[in-house]
Amino acid sequence: MTSSAAHDVSFLRLTSLPMLLEREIESMILDGRLSEGGRINENQLAATFGVSRGPVREALRSLEALGLVELLPNRGVFIRSLDIAQVVEMYGVRAALFGYAAQLLATRAEPDVIARLRALLDEMGEAAQAHDFDRYYPLNFAFHDFIVERAGNGVLTAQYRGLVKQLRLYRAGNLMTGNTLELSNEEHARIVAAIEGRDAASAYQTSFDHVERGKERLLARSASAGRAEEQSA
Amino acid sequence: MTSSAAHDVSFLRLTSLPMLLEREIESMILDGRLSEGGRINENQLAATFGVSRGPVREALRSLEALGLVELLPNRGVFIRSLDIAQVVEMYGVRAALFGYAAQLLATRAEPDVIARLRALLDEMGEAAQAHDFDRYYPLNFAFHDFIVERAGNGVLTAQYRGLVKQLRLYRAGNLMTGNTLELSNEEHARIVAAIEGRDAASAYQTSFDHVERGKERLLARSASAGRAEEQSA
DNA sequence: CAACATTAAATTGTTGACACTTTGAACGAG
DNA sequence: CTCGTTCAAAGTGTCAACAATTTAATGTTG
């Protein structure tokens, strides 16, 4: 064998067919490329990838544990569909995790972190003023993810991202209307201020509240949508 | 579409061979019945259960996603081994989740919940005074799990329990020494008081701190153990 | 005898076949 | 026409065999 010594590098295969399939199927689900009624057909899936069903089934088991699909014995695999109650619960947990991330970050708050947060804040501000949701959305995502990532807790990052991933299953439009963008970014500003001020308690609270308010907005929209549905029925 | 109706009976098979194997292998891992160097042999496992390797592999994929085993392509499956740094991260996330649970519970705080918490508190008090760790431990577990369960957020409960399950991989003795039990139970008392007083903020803080203090104790023990190891080397 | 190449054994990876269950369409009785 | 039964088609569940890779054991050379 070739080099090793210092850092036993592991040129070893880093991926495998089931892992590859898992990633691919996951993106098919999240991109909505697969939701023909929510059912996933093993044969068909295996055929499109040109592999046998074994590795596909293994990938689906992983996706089940990640909360992206549901496995009903003898019935098949279904893309998990979230009802509003579950989404609300997820938002709560996400609020707690995000709050904790901000709290941790506040105890460090290195200059480059602050700078990056301020930059994102400014960009979001511009997008918000322009009511440009398509520009705001990825910045908003980056802002949250950056705080979590830089909190420096890998377990936290994994849990948070897993939750956000599951949340993507809930397609009801994340559309914020009009000045909601500006309100949202004001909350961001408070978060950054708390982190910059090394105020851990405030960082937690403002961040927690920020996600909770997102939940409220979602609930409000869901309620009115529910009423509309009832009327049309 | 997913069910609704009053009770969509589902006499449908609720379990499957891979799910069964998953549960069984999981308990084998957590009970330490399987750790011959951390390696898991598919053939051997399949033979002991009298099944083929297919279902076993599927079960192992699930366990990987749950964070109980590691899958190295072409190398095999290994029982996940946690280093102290990972455990510390997990404690942090657990603190955040547990704090959130207490916070939620404080906003409800129904009489039967308070009664149950007080009962557990008393029992733990007795066990603590008697320095009876074997009696204290399951009560302590029940106390925490009860708070999480009754917080009424299923996603939170699942995440919390998943984390606690992973934490069991870290065998370094959860032995609390001497009066640590009494100190721990004083913290429990503060938590119950906050919940009973419907003080959500205090419930969060006391609960978060309680788990964090557990982390500190762990770290302290780990540090001294590290020194001992160094000396003996 | 230490380090390297070679080869055999063990283990994982993938497949195609077959058994079992569910689904739904055709059929027949009331 | 509705309800229940029967039967074929489709899909999932499991297996055993084979391919590919890793691991170890053996032999070889400087």
Side-chain angles (χ1 to χ4, degrees):
Chain A
M1 186 53 76
T2 45
S3 64
S4 46
H7 37 255
D8 80 330
V9 216
S10 316
F11 289 114
L12 307 157
R13 264 258 263 306
L14 221 18
T15 186
S16 71
L17 186 48
M19 294 182 200
L20 204 88
L21 292 171
E22 182 190 332
R23 278 198 288 273
E24 190 53 37
I25 297 170
E26 176 186 300
S27 73
M28 286 172 90
I29 292 172
L30 295 179
D31 296 355
R33 260 181 295 158
L34 204 59
S35 54
E36 31 162 301
R39 175 79 176 280
I40 292 178
N41 186 313
E42 288 179 9
N43 280 305
Q44 188 179 314
L45 207 49
T48 61
F49 289 119
V51 299
S52 72
R53 281 171 51 224
V56 171
R57 285 176 62 91
E58 290 184 26
L60 291 172
R61 285 279 166 195
S62 294
L63 291 174
E64 186 204 19
L66 292 177
L68 295 183
V69 304
E70 256 166 327
L71 251 73
L72 306 187
N74 285 314
R75 308 286 304 286
V77 180
F78 298 82
I79 297 174
R80 186 171 172 207
S81 76
L82 302 176
D83 59 35
I84 183 68
Q86 288 173 300
V87 173
V88 165
E89 289 191 352
M90 286 179 183
Y91 261 79
V93 175
R94 194 182 143 207
L97 292 177
F98 184 63
Y100 177 54
Q103 172 187 329
L104 283 179
L105 192 57
T107 66
R108 297 167 203 192
E110 288 150 48
D112 67 313
V113 169
I114 305 298
R116 173 78 175 133
L117 290 176
R118 289 235 162 271
L120 284 167
L121 213 53
D122 290 347
E123 277 196 78
M124 281 191 283
E126 288 176 29
Q129 240 178 339
H131 298 289
D132 186 346
F133 179 77
D134 290 340
R135 196 177 150 209
Y136 188 86
Y137 183 75
L139 291 169
N140 182 53
F141 177 87
F143 179 81
H144 289 150
D145 195 73
F146 181 76
I147 288 176
V148 171
E149 169 90 50
R150 284 315 208 65
N153 183 322
V155 174
L156 172 62
T157 305
Q159 296 256 21
Y160 178 84
R161 285 185 181 155
L163 211 50
V164 168
K165 206 174 265 181
Q166 287 183 46
L167 243 6
R168 287 179 61 186
L169 290 173
Y170 189 71
R171 307 200 190 305
N174 297 309
L175 359 143
M176 301 184 185
T177 54
N179 65 340
T180 309
L181 294 185
E182 280 160 293
L183 289 174
S184 166
N185 208 38
E186 281 171 29
E187 294 168 21
H188 291 159
R190 277 195 285 278
I191 292 169
V192 173
I195 291 173
E196 192 170 11
R198 290 197 154 69
D199 185 340
S202 169
Y204 172 79
Q205 201 59 51
T206 52
S207 299
F208 181 88
D209 290 346
H210 173 55
V211 178
E212 282 283 299
R213 260 190 276 274
K215 178 169 99 180
E216 314 273 313
R217 281 194 283 269
L218 186 81
L219 264 172
R221 284 206 320 109
S222 166
S224 64
R227 276 198 303 281
E229 217 171 285
E230 249 176 69
Q231 282 186 337
S232 74
Chain B
M1 177 71 64
T2 42
S3 59
S4 27
H7 41 256
D8 81 331
V9 216
S10 313
F11 288 116
L12 307 157
R13 265 258 266 303
L14 222 18
T15 186
S16 71
L17 186 48
M19 294 182 202
L20 204 89
L21 292 172
E22 183 190 332
R23 278 197 290 272
E24 189 53 36
I25 298 170
E26 177 187 299
S27 74
M28 286 173 92
I29 292 173
L30 296 179
D31 296 355
R33 259 181 296 155
L34 203 60
S35 54
E36 31 161 302
R39 174 79 176 280
I40 292 179
N41 186 312
E42 288 179 9
N43 280 306
Q44 188 179 315
L45 207 49
T48 62
F49 289 119
V51 299
S52 73
R53 282 171 49 223
V56 171
R57 285 177 61 91
E58 290 184 27
L60 290 172
R61 286 278 167 196
S62 294
L63 291 174
E64 185 203 18
L66 293 177
L68 295 183
V69 304
E70 256 166 327
L71 251 72
L72 305 188
N74 286 315
R75 307 287 302 284
V77 180
F78 299 81
I79 297 174
R80 186 173 171 205
S81 76
L82 302 176
D83 59 35
I84 184 68
Q86 287 173 301
V87 172
V88 165
E89 290 191 352
M90 286 180 182
Y91 261 79
V93 175
R94 194 181 142 207
L97 293 177
F98 184 63
Y100 177 53
Q103 171 187 329
L104 283 179
L105 192 58
T107 66
R108 297 163 205 194
E110 289 150 47
D112 67 312
V113 168
I114 304 297
R116 173 80 175 130
L117 290 176
R118 288 235 163 270
L120 285 166
L121 214 52
D122 290 346
E123 278 195 78
M124 281 190 284
E126 287 175 30
Q129 240 176 340
H131 298 289
D132 186 347
F133 179 75
D134 289 341
R135 194 175 152 211
Y136 188 86
Y137 184 75
L139 291 168
N140 181 53
F141 178 87
F143 179 80
H144 290 152
D145 196 72
F146 182 76
I147 288 176
V148 171
E149 169 89 52
R150 286 311 205 79
N153 182 322
V155 173
L156 171 62
T157 305
Q159 296 255 22
Y160 178 84
R161 287 186 180 153
L163 212 49
V164 168
K165 205 175 265 180
Q166 287 183 47
L167 244 4
R168 287 180 59 187
L169 290 172
Y170 189 71
R171 308 199 190 304
N174 296 310
L175 0 141
M176 301 185 185
T177 54
N179 65 338
T180 309
L181 293 185
E182 280 161 293
L183 289 173
S184 167
N185 207 38
E186 280 172 29
E187 294 168 21
H188 290 159
R190 278 196 284 279
I191 292 170
V192 173
I195 292 173
E196 191 169 13
R198 288 198 154 71
D199 185 340
S202 169
Y204 172 79
Q205 200 59 51
T206 52
S207 299
F208 181 88
D209 290 345
H210 173 56
V211 178
E212 282 283 299
R213 260 189 278 273
K215 177 169 101 181
E216 315 270 311
R217 280 193 284 268
L218 185 81
L219 264 172
R221 283 206 321 110
S222 165
S224 64
R227 275 198 304 279
E229 217 171 284
E230 249 177 69
Q231 281 186 338
S232 75

